Amino acid sequence: LGATAGKRADWDRRGAARPSTRRPKQTAPSPRSRSGGAARAARKRRRCLGRALARMSAADAALADHARAIDTGWLLTMTFNILVMQAGFAGLEVGMSAAASAAAIAMKNMSDMAVCCIGFWLTGWALAFGKNAAGQSNAFSGEGQFLLLGETDMARFVFQYAFAATSVTIVSGAVVGRIRFKHYVLLAFTISSFIYPIVAHVAWDPTGFLHQMGFVDFAGSTVAHVTGGSIGLAASLWLGPRPGVFRDTGDYVPQRSSPTQALMGAICLWYTWFSFNAGSTKALTNGGATLAAHAAVSTLLASGAGFLCSLAWSWIRSKGQHIDVFDSVTGLLAGLVAITSGCASVQPWEAVIVGALGSLAALATVPMLERLRIDDSVAVIPVHLVGGSVGTLLTGFFANNPADSPGVPVPQRLAGALHGGGGELLGVQALGVLFVVCWASLCFVVVALVVQCCMGGLRVPSLLLDKVDETERASHRGPPAASASHRTVGAAADRSGLAGNSAPDAAVRERAVKPAPLAAAADP
């Protein structure tokens, strides 16, 4: 402050003017300079916005890539679990059939995977979901992408192949011990390359006529199980029963070999069925995870209800004497098949009803088939045909697909009769079952006629029925006589309250050989 006062005094003495402390008046810029500044600012804003959008696009692309990876991983994992069903079906069929057919059954199940992958690759995928050059297909079949040419969704192809192989394996259980192996391979190829793909297209492809009508089959009660069960029924009628399984009195003695093996096969199928149903969401993103969890809960409750109903059925039929192992397996699997159609569309309490009714319907069908002298030792017809049909029809009552259901295609948002939908969905479900039964049965008859005319009959000659394994695959069947431990299965089953022996009559019990007592341990 003192220095400033001294300067002002010096200026006064010299008569000099003081410097102005005011800021100089700024003149307005010219219109040209003003427009140039605005343009520079606009360019800067555009550059910043472009960089922000690029960063957002990169983030969106990364998120989309992660979502595709999650969905693909989910679909492939479920596919590999579904393929384990082949082992479960093999164990189930071996345990519920005669020991002489064990190697034949295992070979058929092993051949299913190899034959079906080639047949589904050649024409199956194209007829089921293929598109032509314009990206279109008709209401009855696909029109392009044979040999997977032009297809990019390989995970979906593998998943659908697993369903085709499952449908074929169902047929193998209905023709145990009666069909020539080479003819079975030809039948499996025809199913995977032509019969099953048409059913998959009309029910699951967006252009299929059943799908357009609102047909609901979330995981394949009709597409996979009714198709296989219909062919199994037609094959059983065409081939006739095995010699000796029906006695003069009308009793059915299917010569089942191993209740334990049948139970282990059923447990394996029970585990893989969760992948069969929950994996049909085909994705975890966009609501798929919630839908998969719902399907898993429905599958669990229906299977439990089906198994408990089979226990009650067996206990009542035997008047409290025993629980039949094979009835228990039949009821469990029928409950699983029944819920497969509506596992993502019904409430938990409704899933219990579906599983129970599917199980009881299948168990009631078993004695009817015996009276009609239809040889079905693996219960393919009651479980897959009857259980699948009942489950599909019950979906017409219980399905509840509101407009905001995640993962449910638009045409399949019809409500069941109990949820205000009237009888429209029930009629569509009945039409779908009728179409599949007629289509699959008619196709089998055509194949059987062609084979009979060109290659001889489908059935193994009666003289070779006991040597199927040796004559067709040169496999060693072992000694013809059963061991002592096998001959005491019936007696042990009776003592434990479980009926698993195929011939529990008194004559067989009298021939049971008691195992020799263990020798006393030697004194060391």
Side-chain angles (χ1 to χ4, degrees):
L1 292 174
T4 302
K7 288 182 179 180
R8 289 178 177 175
D10 183 54
W11 288 335
D12 290 339
R13 287 194 298 271
R14 291 185 298 175
R18 297 179 183 179
S20 177
T21 58
R22 296 180 180 179
R23 297 180 63 180
K25 185 178 180 180
Q26 297 181 358
T27 60
S30 63
R32 182 175 181 181
S33 62
R34 184 165 59 246
S35 62
R40 287 192 297 272
R43 286 194 296 269
K44 184 177 180 179
R45 286 194 299 269
R46 284 196 297 269
R47 286 194 298 268
C48 293
L49 181 61
R51 287 193 292 268
L53 291 177
R55 288 192 295 269
M56 292 176 62
S57 299
D60 290 342
L63 289 176
D65 185 65
H66 291 325
R68 284 192 298 270
I70 291 172
D71 294 341
T72 302
W74 165 257
L75 194 59
L76 290 177
T77 302
M78 296 300 100
T79 300
F80 301 151
N81 286 340
I82 293 172
L83 291 176
V84 180
M85 276 186 160
Q86 299 293 332
F89 277 117
L92 176 71
E93 293 171 15
V94 168
M96 298 183 74
S97 304
S101 303
I105 293 171
M107 277 295 296
K108 289 185 178 70
N109 282 269
M110 189 172 181
S111 301
D112 289 338
M113 297 184 66
V115 174
C116 289
C117 74
I118 300 300
F120 200 66
W121 167 68
L122 286 174
T123 61
W125 172 263
L127 294 177
F129 306 103
K131 308 296 181 184
N132 56 22
Q136 299 175 351
S137 59
N138 59 59
F140 188 72
S141 69
E143 296 181 357
Q145 296 178 329
F146 292 91
L147 306 178
L148 286 181
L149 297 177
E151 178 58 47
T152 58
D153 194 353
M154 297 302 174
R156 189 177 173 218
F157 164 77
V158 179
F159 183 76
Q160 293 296 337
Y161 149 72
F163 274 67
T166 301
S167 184
V168 173
T169 302
I170 293 170
V171 180
S172 70
V175 295
V176 168
R178 286 165 287 171
I179 190 171
R180 295 177 182 267
F181 181 73
K182 58 183 180 181
H183 295 166
Y184 175 80
V185 170
L186 178 61
L187 178 62
F189 182 84
T190 305
I191 296 173
S192 61
S193 61
F194 180 69
I195 301 176
Y196 169 84
I198 298 298
V199 177
H201 179 85
V202 299
W204 285 342
D205 192 80
T207 61
F209 77 90
L210 286 178
H211 185 89
Q212 290 293 325
M213 295 174 64
F215 182 73
V216 179
D217 189 8
F218 185 76
S221 281
T222 298
V223 175
H225 296 281
V226 174
T227 300
S230 300
I231 298 175
L233 173 60
S236 297
L237 294 175
W238 185 278
L239 296 172
R242 292 164 293 173
V245 296
F246 287 103
R247 295 182 177 177
D248 296 336
T249 57
D251 295 335
Y252 180 56
V253 186
Q255 302 175 3
R256 289 164 175 158
S257 62
S258 176
T260 304
Q261 197 160 359
L263 288 171
M264 294 304 295
I267 292 173
C268 181
L269 290 173
W270 196 356
Y271 162 73
T272 54
W273 220 287
F274 289 95
S275 300
F276 200 86
N277 288 357
S280 293
T281 60
K282 303 179 183 65
L284 288 179
T285 58
N286 297 325
T290 303
L291 202 64
H294 187 101
V297 171
S298 299
T299 303
L300 179 64
L301 294 176
S303 60
F307 183 74
L308 291 179
C309 286
S310 68
L311 295 182
W313 174 276
S314 180
W315 187 261
I316 294 173
R317 286 197 65 192
S318 65
K319 299 180 180 179
Q321 297 298 318
H322 61 262
I323 298 296
D324 190 90
V325 172
F326 300 104
D327 283 349
S328 303
V329 170
T330 300
L332 168 66
L333 297 180
L336 288 168
V337 172
I339 197 58
T340 301
S341 174
C343 58
S345 306
V346 300
Q347 298 300 317
W349 66 271
E350 296 170 333
V352 174
I353 297 177
V354 172
L357 293 179
S359 174
L360 293 175
L363 292 170
T365 306
V366 173
M368 295 175 57
L369 295 178
E370 295 177 3
R371 287 194 294 269
L372 295 173
R373 301 181 70 86
I374 298 176
D375 184 9
D376 185 15
S377 63
V378 188
V380 167
I381 300 168
V383 170
H384 300 281
L385 178 56
V386 176
S389 300
V390 169
T392 303
L393 294 177
L394 289 176
T395 302
F397 284 99
F398 296 123
N400 185 18
N401 292 327
D404 58 349
S405 294
V408 179
V410 174
Q412 294 191 1
R413 289 176 182 167
L414 295 175
L418 298 183
H419 293 279
E424 182 180 359
L425 180 59
L426 180 60
V428 172
Q429 299 295 98
L431 176 62
V433 172
L434 181 62
F435 168 78
V436 173
V437 171
C438 295
W439 166 258
S441 303
L442 179 62
C443 288
F444 170 80
V445 172
V446 173
V447 172
L449 289 174
V450 172
V451 171
Q452 184 171 356
C453 294
C454 302
M455 304 173 62
L458 289 172
R459 184 181 173 93
V460 174
S462 300
L463 296 177
L464 302 178
L465 282 174
D466 293 334
K467 299 181 179 181
V468 171
D469 295 336
E470 295 179 358
T471 56
E472 296 211 338
R473 277 157 304 283
S475 62
H476 181 64
R477 188 161 55 99
S483 62
S485 60
H486 287 171
R487 289 194 295 267
T488 56
V489 168
D494 291 342
R495 288 194 299 270
S496 64
L498 295 176
N501 193 19
S502 60
D505 56 304
V508 174
R509 291 171 182 165
E510 291 175 359
R511 291 196 300 269
V513 179
K514 297 181 179 180
L518 296 175
D523 187 2

